Amino acid sequence: MMRSSKRTKIEECQNDWISQLPESVLVDILSYLPTKDAVKMALISRFRNLWTYIRCLSFDECAYHDHSSDDGENYDGPHYDESFLNLIRHVLILHERTTIDKFHLKFAFNLFNVIHDDHYNSDGYASKERRMASELTTWIKFSLRKQVKVLDIDLLGCGLSEPEVNYELPNSILTNNYLKELSLTGCGIEDKGRIQLMSLTKLSLKEIMLSDKIMSEIIIGCPMLQELSLDGCFLVFVS
């Protein structure tokens, strides 16, 4: 019986190889998971709150609903999934790592009702979208404070073909020395000042209205740029 018991314990130790890994390796493993799944790993005692030190944060709204039933023509106002929003809020409050490698956000956000304020104001749609825009800015600034290297913001999500009105990016996203790759979809870039992304090597823009001045600022302000991708963008020439 004693030999059998010892053999069982040895087999358990051999099978539970994850428990033998150092925490730094476990954090690396969690960093490759969707953030939603990495947070769930806290239910396993060995992982505890290691997710608060992950290097990559990825939030995809499409995992929270059946996008096959979306119908952009019958859009009747913002219907944000609170569980998705609460996940982002929870992670950003508790995240401990001082820097991150990547921040990815796929989120159907549209300022449609802001320009139809009189019609929708009674239902609070316009004010709700303004609050959501403010919170979105908070999320982006969080990633910049973490000196993010790869930033991917997709505001068309999986249910919008194109933005009715663009969310205007905070200017700080276009003036920092840490970003190496930047991908923007369905956002607005205001012509407020100089673009200065000294470390940027890759830039991808999709469904964004650009002026000739902004394009010129991108070329001048991104001296390390190696790859530029434009998809469905509109170029407006300003005299």
Side-chain angles (χ1 to χ4, degrees):
M1 290 294 293
M2 290 184 64
R3 289 182 179 177
S4 177
S5 178
K6 288 181 179 180
R7 186 181 302 113
T8 301
K9 289 182 179 180
I10 292 173
E11 290 175 351
E12 288 177 353
C13 290
Q14 290 175 340
N15 292 332
D16 189 19
W17 58 271
I18 291 181
S19 296
Q20 312 303 316
L21 295 175
E23 289 190 348
S24 60
V25 175
L26 295 179
V27 169
D28 285 341
I29 293 173
L30 291 178
S31 295
Y32 286 103
L33 297 176
T35 303
K36 178 182 178 181
D37 296 331
V39 173
K40 288 180 180 179
M41 293 297 287
L43 297 174
I44 301 175
S45 59
R46 180 66 179 96
F47 285 90
R48 298 189 305 279
N49 290 323
L50 291 180
W51 68 265
T52 62
Y53 293 93
I54 57 179
R55 296 177 287 101
C56 302
L57 299 176
S58 177
F59 306 101
D60 188 345
E61 183 190 32
C62 297
Y64 285 76
H65 67 96
D66 180 11
H67 57 81
S68 63
S69 62
D70 288 341
D71 187 351
E73 295 181 358
N74 295 323
Y75 178 77
D76 63 346
H79 301 289
Y80 305 121
D81 190 300
E82 284 300 320
S83 59
F84 173 70
L85 299 181
N86 286 334
L87 171 68
I88 299 177
R89 294 161 183 159
H90 177 74
V91 170
L92 269 52
I93 288 174
L94 297 180
H95 191 263
E96 296 283 353
R97 195 180 187 94
T98 56
T99 63
I100 56 176
D101 292 342
K102 183 175 182 178
F103 185 89
H104 167 69
L105 174 66
K106 190 171 185 178
F107 176 51
F109 177 78
N110 198 335
L111 290 173
F112 173 83
N113 292 311
V114 172
I115 61 172
H116 297 82
D117 195 28
D118 293 337
H119 181 66
Y120 287 100
N121 206 25
S122 60
D123 293 319
Y125 285 168
S127 60
K128 184 176 182 179
E129 291 185 41
R130 289 193 182 95
R131 290 196 300 272
M132 195 67 254
S134 177
E135 188 163 15
L136 179 55
T137 298
T138 300
W139 299 344
I140 293 175
K141 288 185 175 181
F142 165 89
S143 71
L144 297 177
R145 286 197 303 272
K146 297 282 186 175
Q147 300 179 9
V148 63
K149 297 180 180 66
V150 179
L151 182 59
D152 182 358
I153 305 295
D154 181 349
L155 298 186
L156 297 187
C158 52
L160 298 173
S161 58
E162 62 183 35
E164 182 81 17
V165 179
N166 283 320
Y167 160 80
E168 298 295 346
L169 293 165
N171 194 54
S172 54
I173 202 173
L174 300 173
T175 54
N176 75 79
N177 296 323
Y178 304 107
L179 273 176
K180 293 186 176 180
E181 296 184 18
L182 177 61
S183 179
L184 301 173
T185 302
C187 308
I189 301 177
E190 286 190 350
D191 184 11
K192 288 184 176 180
R194 293 184 61 186
I195 294 175
Q196 195 168 29
L197 298 166
M198 304 306 293
S199 300
L200 196 72
T201 60
K202 184 177 180 179
L203 177 62
S204 175
L205 304 176
K206 181 178 180 181
E207 296 292 343
I208 292 178
M209 185 172 292
L210 300 167
S211 68
D212 54 341
K213 186 176 185 299
I214 290 176
M215 286 302 302
S216 177
E217 288 288 347
I218 289 174
I219 301 302
I220 296 173
C222 305
M224 303 296 291
L225 193 63
Q226 300 174 8
E227 183 177 338
L228 173 62
S229 173
L230 303 177
D231 183 3
C233 294
F234 302 91
L235 184 60
V236 179
F237 292 94
V238 180
S239 58

